Amino acid sequence: LSYAVLGAACACNAYLKHESRAAVYNFSDALRGNKIVLDFNHTKEHIYQALCRYFGGGTALDLDDITYLLSCADTPDIFIITDMQITNLEKLIDFFNHIENRVTAVHLGHNVHAARFKDGTVKKKNISLFNVKNKEDIPKIVLGKVKEYMTSSM
């Protein structure tokens, strides 16, 4: 189990404990079908199965899938845990800049893609970016943001 998957599971579990639903968009090269889109639900087993699926390969998001999931709930929070080497990163940045959802982006290491994401979203107050040096910190960062979100929405 990777720390990215553990962090995502921690976020989902925290929302479920607060009687919220969670959805999962797990992808590698989603444009080629390497993805799982799990609608918002309360079933831990289904959520964990979707999170734990490993695809391998490149990293591309299908923004239509994300748009679909966002349409299924009232302004849901978004967590993305990635190395930021997303092939359609510019489209993702543009997408995030046009939504009002709270977005938490957690990435490992520092690279030009992470710098581009930071530069491209710096003006949006609803987008938080965390550069993680130690992968073991991912669950703590994610749970910290969930706690912040839960406290601010009460």
Side-chain angles (χ1 to χ4, degrees), residues 90-106:
E90 293 298 324
K91 289 181 181 179
L92 180 65
I93 291 168
D94 186 57
F95 181 84
F96 282 163
N97 280 325
H98 287 92
I99 62 174
E100 296 305 317
N101 305 68
R102 296 180 293 199
V103 177
T104 300
V106 180

Side-chain angles (χ1 to χ4, degrees), residues 27-149:
F27 66 95
S28 63
D29 190 349
L31 301 175
R32 293 189 178 179
N34 293 335
K35 63 184 176 185
I36 291 177
V37 180
L38 179 66
D39 288 343
F40 286 89
N41 70 88
H42 293 96
T43 309
K44 282 185 187 181
E45 183 178 327
H46 294 153
I47 291 167
Y48 295 158
Q49 285 175 347
L51 288 173
C52 291
R53 173 76 195 276
Y54 179 74
F55 295 99
T59 306
L61 291 92
D62 187 335
L63 297 177
D64 289 339
D65 292 334
I66 298 172
T67 300
Y68 164 74
L69 286 173
L70 295 181
S71 73
C72 296
D74 186 28
T75 320
D77 297 328
I78 300 170
F79 288 83
I80 180 168
I81 305 171
T82 179
D83 61 5
M84 280 294 173
Q85 295 183 34
I86 299 169
T87 56
N88 57 342
L89 182 63
E90 293 298 324
K91 289 181 181 179
L92 180 65
I93 291 168
D94 186 57
F95 181 84
F96 282 163
N97 280 325
H98 287 92
I99 62 174
E100 296 305 317
N101 305 68
R102 296 180 293 199
V103 177
T104 300
V106 180
H107 71 91
L108 293 168
H110 184 75
N111 58 48
V112 295
H113 309 289
R116 176 63 198 112
F117 185 90
K118 180 180 178 182
D119 292 343
T121 59
V122 71
K123 293 180 182 177
K124 293 288 284 186
K125 300 296 181 211
N126 59 311
I127 301 174
S128 301
L129 177 64
F130 293 91
N131 176 10
V132 178
K133 291 180 178 65
N134 299 313
K135 60 186 174 186
E136 296 85 4
D137 294 335
I138 293 172
K140 291 180 253 176
I141 291 168
V142 169
L143 286 173
K145 281 309 275 189
V146 170
K147 183 177 180 181
E148 177 186 320
Y149 289 164

